Amino acid sequence: MLVLVLFKVTSLFLQFIIFTGDVTFSQVVNEVMRQLEGAYALIFKSPHYPNELIACKRGSTLILGVNELSGQKSGKSFNDVKALTANGKPKELFFSSDLCAIVEHTKNYLAIEDNEIVHIKDGSVSILKFDHDKEKPASVQRALSVLEMEVEQIKKGNYDHFMQKEIHEQPHSLTTTMRGRLKDGAVLLGGLKEHLKTIRRSRRVVFIGCGTSYNAALAARTFVEELTGIPVTMEVASDLLDRQGPIYREDTAVFVSQSGETADTLLALDYALENGALCVGITNTVGSTLSRRTHCGIHINAGCEIGVASTKAYTSQIVVMAMMALAIGSDQISTQARREAIISGLFSLPSNASQVLKLDSEMKELASSLIDSESLLVFGRGYNYATALEGALKVKEVALMHSEGMFAGEMKHGPLALVDENLPIIVIATRDACFSKQQSVIQQLLSRKGRLIIMCSKGDASAVNPGGSCRVIEVPKVADCLQPVINIIPLQLLAYHLTVLRGFDVDQPRNLAKSVTTQ
Ligand SMILES: *[C@@H]1O[C@H](CO)[C@@H](O)[C@H](O)[C@H]1NC(C)=O
């Protein structure tokens, strides 16, 4: 038999492996693994090997779910860890890059480790270990783990979509994020405790992330600088790698990724580790590559997020970074009163989130007035520049409408030319040190007949909109640095309703995946 395996090594080169004689499917895969570089999780099927399937991985996540081992009924939870023997005949097998995806089918799973090859043949499973120096992979024994997650957590309940459920879950997810971490006016972060001294001595903090996680870090930047006195720089993971930007031993690099498997972020982590920086991970996924490979870190504990567009993970990420800033800055006397005010603000954040969720029907109505717009601009500044970026990202990724978040301070340097009576513009003008500047931005936009939607603090409607000509969204006022957590919620609701009204898929937006495990 002759087997020809053809695969792309880079976009330029094609690689051939030619086998002659009798080869098994696992030998073919073994040879492919020998040639591959970088991170991957792959599943192979071939008409030459009917009833066989092989999966393998390196770097990326791959989960094998196993349902109904012989004699066991599905749905029953296993108290002991069962051994998955080479000849065991489980009834159903699932492969997934994310635990959340298999929980509704089974709670028994195996996290495939790097260089392991799972070979399924005629219903039986064997696990082999790839070794670069050996021609044949050796067989290994692995035990199944039991997932400690309720199926309820991944059910939609009374909601139509996961994104909707997750938006409305935020009072709860914010509570679980803070649970056990705020005590007697102090912040306790077990995962960071041993490293606080090193972080305080670092020359700068570098936040590294992609997409929503980047935006969350951006929202945190101002208060991290304020409470720690350490300069903070922002890096989009892929751009840091493209530039090979400088990272030093004296840096604290903070990696933010809700899945903990984001390929770009993990590559940036390797790069920062090579350069000797202290690496801190902030992720929603216990046991993820990010949490294993960083020196220390904080889990955001927001619960499983299934909608592709991140919502509750975003707000929890900001809260985690607020707690991180409080912990790092806890040795500074001068900011003591400020820290106490923020901690008390954190306590009332979940109930404020419940308040702002009452805007749901108002946001639906606003969405119905925007369905035919081609574009939506969002202006923010200070703490809420990140809110503008994140709000626009939500509208882009789920409602498939062009949207851009912009610095309000940059308006006169270009974007003002776009303003007319048709283009809807959201201006975030909640109370903080930038409020009067935002008031004058509103005046300038109105004098160009801009079609404005103004987000302001409760009771400020007439201050931001004296002529009464604009639509106003009033949100509860919280500590200024926590305001982004509240302000994003109406924009999440808006993006959600806009998507539903425009008839697009909310939980599976076109072309996007939940964990971006490719570069
Ligand atoms: C919202 O937060 C503010 C400031 O922390 C607090 O005074 C207020 O009581 C909170 N509102 C609710 C409904 O919890």
Side-chain angles (χ1 to χ4, degrees), residues 341-356 358 458 476-479 482 486:
I342 296 172
I343 291 176
S344 90
L346 283 171
F347 276 115
S348 57
L349 207 51
S351 50
N352 272 298
S354 304
Q355 287 293 317
V356 79
K358 291 184 182 157
K458 233 180 210 124
K477 184 171 179 297
V478 295
L482 301 175
I486 296 302

Side-chain angles (χ1 to χ4, degrees), residues 165-179:
K165 170 176 175 266
E166 286 154 8
I167 292 171
H168 287 273
E169 238 168 41
Q170 289 177 104
H172 178 69
S173 56
L174 291 170
T175 307
T176 57
T177 296
M178 293 186 278
R179 184 168 293 149

Side-chain angles (χ1 to χ4, degrees), residues 161-224:
H161 301 96
F162 283 111
M163 183 186 179
Q164 184 189 27
K165 170 176 175 266
E166 286 154 8
I167 292 171
H168 287 273
E169 238 168 41
Q170 289 177 104
H172 178 69
S173 56
L174 291 170
T175 307
T176 57
T177 296
M178 293 186 278
R179 184 168 293 149
R181 290 168 161 175
L182 296 174
K183 280 220 179 80
D184 309 324
V187 175
L188 303 170
L189 296 170
L192 223 55
K193 216 168 60 198
E194 305 294 313
H195 294 84
L196 284 177
K197 276 200 183 124
T198 321
I199 299 173
R200 284 178 194 137
R201 278 201 307 265
S202 55
R203 198 164 66 168
R204 63 170 179 165
V205 170
V206 188
F207 275 126
I208 301 165
C210 313
T212 292
S213 298
Y214 175 89
N215 292 343
L218 187 64
R221 177 190 201 172
T222 317
F223 58 72
V224 173

Side-chain angles (χ1 to χ4, degrees), residues 134-419:
K134 294 202 187 114
E135 199 176 315
K136 270 196 163 173
S139 169
V140 287
Q141 292 275 323
R142 291 287 311 276
L144 285 181
S145 310
V146 181
L147 188 63
E148 285 172 27
M149 185 193 292
E150 289 309 314
V151 178
E152 289 316 307
Q153 284 186 333
I154 63 132
K155 285 274 162 68
K156 279 183 249 178
N158 296 326
Y159 297 101
D160 296 331
H161 301 96
F162 283 111
M163 183 186 179
Q164 184 189 27
K165 170 176 175 266
E166 286 154 8
I167 292 171
H168 287 273
E169 238 168 41
Q170 289 177 104
H172 178 69
S173 56
L174 291 170
T175 307
T176 57
T177 296
M178 293 186 278
R179 184 168 293 149
R181 290 168 161 175
L182 296 174
K183 280 220 179 80
D184 309 324
V187 175
L188 303 170
L189 296 170
L192 223 55
K193 216 168 60 198
E194 305 294 313
H195 294 84
L196 284 177
K197 276 200 183 124
T198 321
I199 299 173
R200 284 178 194 137
R201 278 201 307 265
S202 55
R203 198 164 66 168
R204 63 170 179 165
V205 170
V206 188
F207 275 126
I208 301 165
C210 313
T212 292
S213 298
Y214 175 89
N215 292 343
L218 187 64
R221 177 190 201 172
T222 317
F223 58 72
V224 173
E225 283 184 336
E226 182 193 339
L227 293 175
T228 69
I230 308 169
V232 179
T233 58
M234 299 296 307
E235 293 284 359
V236 171
S238 57
D239 182 53
L240 175 69
L241 292 164
D242 290 347
R243 290 180 2 252
Q244 296 285 294
I247 296 283
Y248 302 106
R249 289 185 60 79
E250 301 81 11
D251 288 335
T252 294
V254 181
F255 295 85
V256 191
S257 159
Q258 60 89 15
S259 68
E261 303 295 348
T262 317
D264 289 323
T265 307
L266 292 177
L267 288 168
L269 169 61
D270 288 340
Y271 175 73
L273 286 169
E274 276 165 33
N275 286 284
L278 174 72
C279 295
V280 181
I282 294 180
T283 175
N284 199 23
T285 316
V286 177
S288 62
T289 311
L290 186 73
S291 61
R292 283 185 276 119
R293 288 226 284 253
T294 42
H295 297 115
C296 57
I298 315 167
H299 286 120
I300 70 172
N301 300 341
C304 199
E305 192 180 61
I306 293 172
V308 166
S310 179
T311 50
K312 63 176 182 171
Y314 175 76
T315 46
S316 285
Q317 280 169 337
I318 300 176
V319 164
V320 157
M321 286 183 266
M323 292 190 291
M324 181 182 81
L326 291 164
I328 301 171
S330 63
D331 62 334
Q332 300 189 5
I333 311 283
S334 59
T335 54
Q336 173 115 21
R338 172 79 167 142
R339 285 201 309 277
E340 281 164 10
I342 296 172
I343 291 176
S344 90
L346 283 171
F347 276 115
S348 57
L349 207 51
S351 50
N352 272 298
S354 304
Q355 287 293 317
V356 79
L357 282 165
K358 291 184 182 157
L359 292 171
D360 192 31
S361 53
E362 208 177 301
M363 289 302 111
K364 186 173 179 181
E365 198 197 310
L366 176 61
S368 68
S369 72
L370 297 176
I371 35 177
D372 296 323
S373 298
E374 272 175 24
S375 183
L376 175 68
L377 298 190
V378 192
F379 280 132
R381 70 196 313 148
Y383 292 116
N384 285 295
Y385 171 53
T387 311
L389 292 188
E390 176 62 11
L393 180 62
K394 288 298 93 126
V395 171
K396 243 181 288 203
E397 69 179 333
V398 284
L400 313 189
M401 181 189 284
H402 171 253
S403 183
E404 266 188 83
M406 295 177 177
F407 265 126
E410 283 284 287
M411 181 187 70
K412 278 179 280 185
H413 304 281
L416 194 56
L418 288 171
V419 177

Side-chain angles (χ1 to χ4, degrees), residues 463-478:
V464 294
N465 181 29
S469 57
C470 314
R471 222 187 152 108
V472 176
I473 307 166
E474 284 188 76
V475 297
K477 184 171 179 297
V478 295

